[in-house]
Amino acid sequence: MDKDEAFKRFGCVIGVADASFSVNRGEVFCIMGLSGSGKSTIIRHVNRLIEPTDGQIHVEGRDVMSLNAGDLRDLRARKIGMVFQHMALWPHKTIAANVAFGLEVQKRPLEQRKAAADAALTKVGLAGWGARYPDELSGGMQQRVGLARALAADPDILLMDEPFSALDPLIRNDLQDEFLKLSREVKKTTLFITHDLDEAMKMGNRIAIMKDGRIEQTDRPENIVLRPATDYVARFVSSISTLKYISASEIMTAGKTAGDAAEFGPSTPLPVLLQAFSDGASELAIKDGDATLGIIRASDVLDRIKEDLSRV
Amino acid sequence: MDLSVLLDPFAALQLPLAEWANDSMRWITSNYRPLFQAIKAPVKEFLDFVEDGLRDSPQSLIVIIFSLFAWQIANRAAGIVAFFGLIAIGLIGAWDPAMTSFAVLLTAVCLSVLIGLPLGILCSRVTIVWAILRPILDFMQTIPSFTYLVPVILLFGIGNVPGVIVTVFFATPPLIRLTNLGLREVRQDLVEAADAFGASPFKRLISVELPLARPTIMTGINQTVMLSLVMSVIASMISVAGLGRLVLVGIGQLDLERATIGGVGIVLLAIIFDRTTQGFGFTRRDRGNRGLWEQGPVGWVRAKLNGSKK
């Protein structure tokens, strides 16, 4: 049954259905979809901010659906940090109090809360801003605070609900880079929601593409672009250049080199191949060990670039 | 004959509403009088305590204490308003009735907040309670305030304590409404964020929802204070002493002097109360990131003490 049929027959909307996935420890897992695709609902199912009507959620082997109210609060306070699209900082609390709220909930002593808030603010580059109030900060700084708040209790899991969508493009780019850097340092298992395909490609180790509450494809970024599983995904990625993701094996043709051509592996990225041609090569041999897989002529590369540019 | 009944049906057909009211009131008074007397007792204790305190203390001490209090709670301007306001009340010869009105007002406002705030919170949590309470509040607010007086006399008698009770009845509905409204208007994403970090419903209420609803709730308390002052004249009809009685007697005897003293006294009291209670609405933020006890006279004394230690 699809969304329209359910609406006609029962007068309700399917938020999320048949959307199963698992996130590996330390991985950044992006869920990408347009508004109304159910991505914000699905991330709220993980910590049961929205109660699923059916289905299972497991966090480190624990069945989240079976937790009572107290255990669920404990899971939210200790295991999971969340960042929101519109920051959702409490305007009546100082930055430090905002950041330390998770620890306050856990009834940690004041000194510990202060230390954790300072440490988290330092991590996001806002040391010394603790005594200010949220509306004294710019949008980008506010979202850094949002990130610090999520990190303060040192949770294993980060839920990020379109964290950078409300920011200016340049600031968004900076924060993406910083988050990637931070992410490599702190190694948090991250579920990252976005409606921006470029952002998903940049942030995600793996990406799930959602439509109408269902997952269309779950894959590594390059496979999403090069090998879309459905028409919907294909249409989606059609605006993205494949050139960044293709390698020698996608360009080569069968055949043998005439003479003494330079040799490359099948996973060689395009820029390296282009460099070889601009250094004067006329054709390249693609080899896996001793076996010749194929050859690439300059015209093959040019055709491939032309094809990419002429996509819709 | 038949036709005339159809044309003027209300000549013959009558619902005995008056009788019902009479019967039910008689039934309540004969069966539950002890209950209403029991409600009256603690109110009377509190009221007497406040009134005795206000009337027996030296006048200048009261002026100083209340000015400092207003300064502490709100700001220096409120302290100055309280200082000159109280002096003006004394100079126009309204001191004693003003202290009585003050006591009635203080008692009524405390009771209203004690009843209204929890009820407002409950209404915002449990929609069914709000659905039931809402028409009752509509009824309480539209019924002419004089109408309250009759059942209150029958149940509680006359005097200052029934005056407090009728004032509470009149002044609490807006506080319930505005508390409920304020809590329901809190941005949902801020509430969700508190949930996401594992806050219990109580923790969420105390540290996120109530602070964010505070301006609306303070408007409610302000309304309660102002309505209590309005009621002080009406309540004087059931023999409540104070400034309201001066106005009432002034109307009855066309005595402009007393009416003026009573009226101006009420206005002065209203200004003092309004300025001071506004201070409850101030956040730490409004005070420039200073706590309540780091400002005003207490803050000044503390700063001096700390200075002398160093």
Side-chain angles (χ1 to χ4, degrees):
Chain A
M1 192 185 316
D2 69 1
K3 216 173 183 170
D4 293 335
E5 198 188 330
F7 189 69
K8 260 186 223 146
R9 279 181 52 187
F10 303 114
C12 35
V13 177
I14 295 179
V16 177
D18 287 344
S20 297
F21 61 89
S22 58
V23 185
N24 303 322
R25 196 181 292 268
E27 172 183 51
V28 178
F29 188 93
C30 278
I31 297 181
M32 212 236 52
L34 300 181
S35 56
S37 62
K39 56 192 191 303
S40 285
T41 308
I42 217 171
I43 201 172
R44 280 167 177 72
H45 281 334
V46 174
N47 57 357
R48 280 171 62 193
L49 284 178
I50 296 176
E51 207 60 61
T53 43
D54 199 8
Q56 295 182 325
I57 307 149
H58 294 276
V59 171
E60 295 183 342
R62 267 168 99 196
D63 181 7
V64 178
M65 288 304 291
S66 70
L67 297 179
N68 62 32
D71 289 341
L72 179 63
R73 284 200 293 272
D74 204 56
L75 178 87
R76 288 169 176 176
R78 289 169 202 275
K79 272 268 168 236
I80 300 176
M82 193 159 180
V83 184
F84 298 88
Q85 179 178 6
H86 298 292
M87 293 78 165
L89 300 178
W90 299 294
H92 61 290
K93 291 179 184 290
T94 61
I95 298 300
N98 264 281
V99 172
F101 185 76
L103 297 159
E104 191 188 325
V105 166
Q106 294 179 35
K107 300 196 172 70
R108 303 273 192 89
L110 190 63
E111 305 84 62
Q112 204 181 340
R113 268 148 50 187
K114 273 187 176 153
D118 284 347
L121 283 170
T122 307
K123 249 182 222 162
V124 298
L126 284 178
W129 287 82
R132 303 298 184 105
Y133 284 86
D135 64 1
E136 294 175 87
L137 272 58
S138 69
M141 289 164 88
Q142 285 184 32
Q143 196 56 298
R144 285 163 196 262
V145 176
L147 186 59
R149 180 173 65 177
L151 291 171
D154 198 25
D156 296 324
I157 298 167
L158 286 180
L159 300 180
M160 305 186 74
D161 181 23
E162 302 210 34
F164 307 137
S165 301
L167 305 175
D168 300 330
L170 278 178
I171 304 211
R172 187 189 313 156
N173 213 18
D174 286 350
L175 274 179
Q176 286 168 349
D177 292 337
E178 275 179 50
F179 178 71
L180 280 176
K181 210 176 115 213
L182 195 65
S183 181
R184 279 192 287 271
E185 281 170 27
V186 295
K187 287 236 184 330
K188 306 280 181 206
T189 306
T190 306
L191 193 56
F192 192 106
I193 302 284
T194 177
H195 65 250
D196 178 0
L197 186 60
D198 292 322
E199 185 169 71
M201 302 294 289
K202 180 171 174 180
M203 309 302 288
N205 297 113
R206 282 189 303 147
I207 299 173
I209 302 217
M210 282 189 83
K211 184 202 172 204
D212 291 346
R214 287 164 210 276
I215 291 180
E216 296 269 309
Q217 185 176 1
T218 307
D219 224 326
R220 302 186 60 77
E222 60 271 23
N223 284 341
I224 295 271
V225 173
L226 298 175
R227 284 173 276 280
T230 65
D231 287 348
Y232 182 77
V233 178
R235 254 180 42 222
F236 226 103
V237 299
S238 64
S239 63
I240 285 212
S241 168
T242 57
L243 299 177
K244 242 164 90 182
Y245 305 99
I246 53 172
S247 53
S249 60
E250 269 106 17
I251 307 171
M252 66 186 184
T253 50
K256 283 224 156 92
T257 47
D260 230 12
E263 293 171 5
F264 290 94
S267 58
T268 312
L270 185 61
V272 177
L273 302 175
L274 288 172
Q275 187 59 51
F277 284 116
S278 68
D279 286 345
S282 58
E283 51 184 23
L284 310 174
I286 306 304
K287 283 192 164 182
D288 189 10
D290 286 337
T292 302
L293 301 172
I295 61 167
I296 298 180
R297 294 183 197 85
S299 61
D300 295 331
V301 175
L302 292 175
D303 284 346
R304 188 67 183 76
I305 292 173
K306 204 173 88 193
E307 181 195 327
D308 186 83
L309 289 175
S310 63
R311 294 187 340 148
V312 185
Chain B
M1 172 62 196
D2 280 342
L3 197 64
S4 74
V5 169
L6 284 179
L7 285 175
D8 295 316
F10 308 132
L13 283 173
Q14 289 283 301
L15 283 179
L17 176 66
E19 249 172 68
W20 290 346
N22 226 345
D23 289 348
S24 52
M25 189 51 78
R26 194 165 295 147
W27 183 76
I28 292 173
T29 43
S30 56
N31 287 295
Y32 291 100
R33 202 176 181 93
L35 175 70
F36 289 100
Q37 295 305 314
I39 294 173
K40 208 172 141 177
V43 178
K44 183 175 161 41
E45 287 298 315
F46 186 77
L47 180 62
D48 286 349
F49 175 76
V50 176
E51 195 183 357
D52 290 350
L54 286 172
R55 297 186 68 140
D56 296 346
S57 307
Q59 295 166 344
S60 44
L61 187 69
I62 288 178
V63 172
I64 291 167
I65 287 177
F66 276 94
S67 309
L68 288 177
F69 180 74
W71 182 13
Q72 185 67 51
I73 293 296
N75 48 33
R76 191 171 304 171
I80 291 168
V81 166
F83 183 73
F84 287 108
L86 285 168
I87 286 176
I89 286 173
L91 287 178
I92 63 172
W95 185 265
D96 280 350
M99 287 305 113
T100 303
S101 285
F102 205 159
V104 171
L105 197 66
L106 208 65
T107 312
V109 170
C110 286
L111 264 178
S112 293
V113 172
L114 234 54
I115 295 168
L117 204 59
L119 267 181
I121 292 171
L122 188 67
C123 284
S124 74
R125 309 287 102 170
V126 190
T127 301
I128 183 82
V129 174
W130 176 230
I132 293 168
L133 209 56
R134 194 175 163 181
I136 298 175
L137 294 181
D138 287 340
F139 179 79
M140 286 168 79
Q141 286 187 288
T142 40
I143 198 165
S145 41
F146 290 99
T147 321
Y148 293 153
L149 299 179
V150 184
V152 166
I153 293 171
L154 292 177
L155 293 172
F156 296 101
I158 58 170
N160 287 357
V161 178
V164 166
I165 289 163
V166 79
T167 305
V168 168
F169 209 69
F170 183 66
T172 310
L175 178 59
I176 299 175
R177 268 178 206 282
L178 285 163
T179 303
N180 171 59
L181 179 73
L183 287 171
R184 282 178 189 267
E185 275 184 340
V186 170
R187 265 172 59 195
Q188 275 314 296
D189 59 332
L190 298 181
V191 176
E192 186 184 49
D195 281 336
F197 285 96
S200 65
F202 182 73
K203 172 77 182 162
R204 192 182 75 192
L205 179 72
I206 295 297
S207 66
V208 173
E209 290 175 284
L210 280 177
L212 289 171
R214 186 161 158 162
T216 315
I217 293 173
M218 288 322 297
T219 310
I221 291 181
N222 197 259
Q223 288 280 302
T224 296
V225 171
M226 293 301 129
L227 286 177
S228 300
L229 278 159
V230 168
M231 203 60 187
S232 67
V233 177
I234 296 167
S236 65
M237 296 176 92
I238 58 168
S239 189
V240 176
L243 295 166
R245 184 184 279 171
L246 286 179
V247 177
L248 189 72
V249 171
I251 296 169
Q253 304 177 353
L254 280 184
D255 182 344
L256 187 63
E257 286 174 34
R258 290 202 211 183
T260 309
I261 293 172
V264 172
I266 287 175
V267 170
L268 287 170
L269 215 51
I271 294 172
I272 296 168
F273 250 83
D274 183 54
R275 296 294 117 174
T276 307
T277 50
Q278 268 181 6
F280 292 123
F282 294 159
T283 58
R284 191 184 176 88
R285 180 79 195 273
D286 295 325
R287 295 188 211 104
N289 202 7
R290 285 187 305 175
L292 182 60
W293 303 113
E294 290 163 31
Q295 67 158 9
V298 174
W300 187 79
V301 170
R302 277 173 38 157
K304 284 278 164 202
L305 285 178
N306 283 341
S308 65
K309 265 182 219 161
K310 284 167 194 168

